Each structure stands twice: as structure tokens, then as C-alpha cells.
Amino acid sequence: MLLEVDDNGNLMDELDIASRILGLFIGIDNTSGVVITFMIKYLAELPGLYNEVQKEIFEIKSSKGSGESLNWDDIQKMKYTWNVACEVMRLVPPCQRTFREAIADFNYKGYSVPKGWK
């Protein structure tokens, strides 16, 4: 990032570099645990959802041999489970301590958002 230049040949601003590095550290530290925790919460609260995830996982498990581990192809078959994880991340974003910054002025639904606003 220290040597990355934009289309005009400008180096990245130190604050932008620091913000991106902080985002990486937070993502590394927290995201998986938050998603798993809230998936368990929602699956416990919504038995229909739990039953569908369980059904999908048991179908994949039944196609495996005794003692055979999951592989990448098996994980790719978990469409419903992945949709549940995505919905959990939409409802409870795993990185709640970070903010995005507007890179240009824009209007959204009648609201003016200035460049640099977080």
C-alpha cells in the first residue's frame, strides 16, 4: 500500500492506509466468531431454519463414506446454509467497529452525503 499509486500517480494517504490495515486486523480478529455466534442464535430461535440447515448437512453427510471428511465440493453444496450465513451477516454485520468513508459527494434518497463523511 505504501507504493500503490492512483490513476494520477498519487500515493495513498497515510490515514487511508491506516484505516485499511485496521479493517484487516478487525476482520481477522472477530468476523468468523461473530457470524458463528449469531448463526447459532438465529438457528436456536427459528426451528424451521434450523431444520432446513440440518437437512442440507445430513444429505451431504449421507453421501460420504464412514469417517470421510468434508471437502471443498461438499461445502459448495451447502447453498441454504450459505444463504443463512449471508443473511446473518446482513442482519448483524461482523465488523461493527469500522466505518466506510464516502470518496465523493453524492445524494441518496434525498440526503446529501459529502465526501469524507463516515
Side-chain angles (χ1 to χ4, degrees):
M1 282 189 267
L2 292 173
L3 301 176
E4 189 68 28
V5 294
D6 62 16
D7 294 337
N8 299 322
N10 299 317
L11 292 170
M12 287 179 69
D13 178 82
E14 285 183 14
L15 272 166
D16 191 29
I17 293 171
S19 176
R20 290 178 188 213
I21 290 172
L22 181 60
L24 288 172
F25 286 149
I26 291 170
I28 291 167
D29 177 51
N30 247 1
T31 55
S32 299
V34 170
V35 173
I36 291 168
T37 299
F38 280 96
M39 274 190 76
I40 292 169
K41 174 193 181 298
Y42 285 115
L43 290 173
E45 291 176 350
L46 303 164
L49 197 67
Y50 173 81
N51 291 337
E52 289 298 318
V53 168
Q54 186 180 41
K55 178 180 159 190
E56 181 176 70
I57 291 170
F58 282 149
E59 285 174 5
I60 293 167
K61 182 181 175 189
S62 69
S63 71
K64 306 297 286 180
S66 179
E68 191 178 355
S69 299
L70 290 174
N71 58 41
W72 183 248
D73 290 333
D74 298 324
I75 293 169
Q76 294 297 305
K77 294 174 189 172
M78 296 180 185
K79 303 288 187 201
Y80 191 87
T81 304
W82 177 245
N83 286 336
V84 170
C86 288
E87 184 64 6
V88 167
M89 288 186 281
R90 185 187 71 80
L91 293 171
V92 186
C95 285
Q96 296 180 15
R97 297 175 293 197
T98 60
F99 298 95
R100 292 186 177 195
E101 183 175 331
I103 59 172
D105 294 341
F106 68 95
N107 290 309
Y108 179 74
K109 294 188 177 182
Y111 294 95
S112 177
V113 178
K115 178 181 178 178
W117 187 79
K118 293 182 169 91

